[in-house]
Amino acid sequence: MNVIGRKPVLELLRSGRPVRRVAVVLGAQGKIIGEIIREAKACGVRVDRVPPDRAEAVLGRGNHQGVLAETAPVVFRALNEIGRGIELEYGLLLALDGITDPHHLGAIARSALAAGCDALILPERRGVLPNETAVKASAGTLLNLPVIVVKNLPRALERLQGDGWWVHGAAGGAGTSLSDHDWDDRTVLVVGGEGRGLSRRVGELCDHHVAIPMQAGVESLSASAAASVILFDLARKRSPR
């Protein structure tokens, strides 16, 4: 997998993941470029200098900001690794139901890691999986968040419920107001796709539904914005005062 962009590449180098090489366009300047080169050398990673006229051929046409890193693809984890390889520091899992835009996936992953999410759960087919666009949108944080891929999301949620987890679904206007919502010690938050929300079966499986209160005239937030609002409200309520 190629990771492009200054912050994503720097985050990758700091993550401890294996990096084969870093390519930097000659003439690229700035504090972060210097940090990337120093971090790469400290990690023993080869740094290739790319002439500007070769930048598109080597780094591609994306918004690479003059830097690219080559690393292994995101390793998908299994549901049975929860608590057995995937550490549960916060007792919070985030499941995405029908998120198809990699930019939203990246933004959600970034908020999830910042808010104390232990792992991200994605369906194998009904939604986007981590790719270069998602990694860049997450500023590289997607590489530091365990990603569990399941064949059937409803069955995975049922299995987690059997293991003592409580499933909370973000449900638009139908549900307990976020300001009044109580969270469980072992919470699975499920966020639905843009425009469609939660699928019928997933919505039926939820133990609780939560809604973000909004002023009149605003029908809904984007999936990534809604996930961020809910995650940080959850983190705030769990934090000691």
Side-chain angles (χ1 to χ4, degrees):
M1 172 185 286
N2 291 337
V3 175
I4 60 173
R6 299 183 180 192
K7 287 185 178 179
V9 169
L10 183 59
E11 187 69 29
L12 169 64
L13 289 166
R14 290 173 173 172
S15 71
R17 286 173 55 89
V19 179
R20 191 173 76 85
R21 71 162 184 146
V22 170
V24 178
V25 175
L26 284 168
Q29 298 179 349
K31 179 181 178 182
I32 295 182
I33 291 292
E35 291 178 7
I36 288 171
I37 294 171
R38 286 192 296 272
E39 196 73 33
K41 290 180 178 179
C43 297
V45 175
R46 189 181 92 214
V47 178
D48 293 340
R49 301 287 189 160
V50 180
D53 60 354
R54 292 277 301 154
E56 185 175 307
V58 177
L59 281 69
R61 296 184 177 181
N63 184 23
H64 50 69
Q65 299 175 310
V67 63
L68 170 147
E70 294 180 4
T71 185
V74 174
V75 177
F76 298 145
R77 313 292 288 271
L79 199 66
N80 61 12
E81 291 185 69
I82 295 175
R84 304 180 186 90
I86 297 175
E87 296 183 10
L88 294 175
E89 185 175 354
Y90 303 101
L92 172 61
L93 304 174
L94 175 62
L96 303 184
D97 179 26
I99 299 294
T100 58
D101 186 332
H103 295 91
H104 283 302
L105 173 59
I108 290 170
R110 189 175 187 179
S111 295
L113 193 65
C117 183
D118 292 309
L120 186 64
I121 302 175
L122 303 176
E124 186 175 72
R125 296 189 179 183
R126 193 176 176 269
V128 67
L129 295 176
N131 56 25
E132 294 174 17
T133 301
V135 170
K136 187 174 190 307
S138 76
T141 55
L142 185 53
L143 299 171
N144 297 328
L145 183 65
V147 177
I148 298 168
V149 175
V150 297
K151 290 186 176 181
N152 187 296
L153 183 58
R155 289 179 186 171
L157 295 176
E158 287 181 318
R159 181 173 168 182
L160 288 168
Q161 287 170 321
D163 290 339
W165 292 82
W166 295 83
V167 179
H168 298 243
T176 306
S177 173
L178 182 61
S179 56
D180 301 321
H181 195 76
D182 294 322
W183 301 97
D184 297 287
D185 290 337
R186 291 164 69 89
T187 287
V188 182
L189 171 63
V190 189
V191 176
E194 196 81 19
R196 299 180 59 183
L198 299 176
S199 59
R200 181 185 60 81
R201 180 58 180 146
V202 167
E204 292 172 350
L205 279 171
C206 291
D207 300 297
H208 309 283
H209 292 89
V210 58
I212 299 173
M214 290 183 285
Q215 299 297 321
V218 180
E219 184 177 345
S220 64
L221 298 176
S222 69
S224 55
S228 181
V229 169
I230 295 172
L231 284 165
F232 281 99
D233 179 81
L234 189 160
R236 178 185 63 84
K237 288 177 178 175
R238 284 184 166 185
S239 297
R241 295 186 181 276

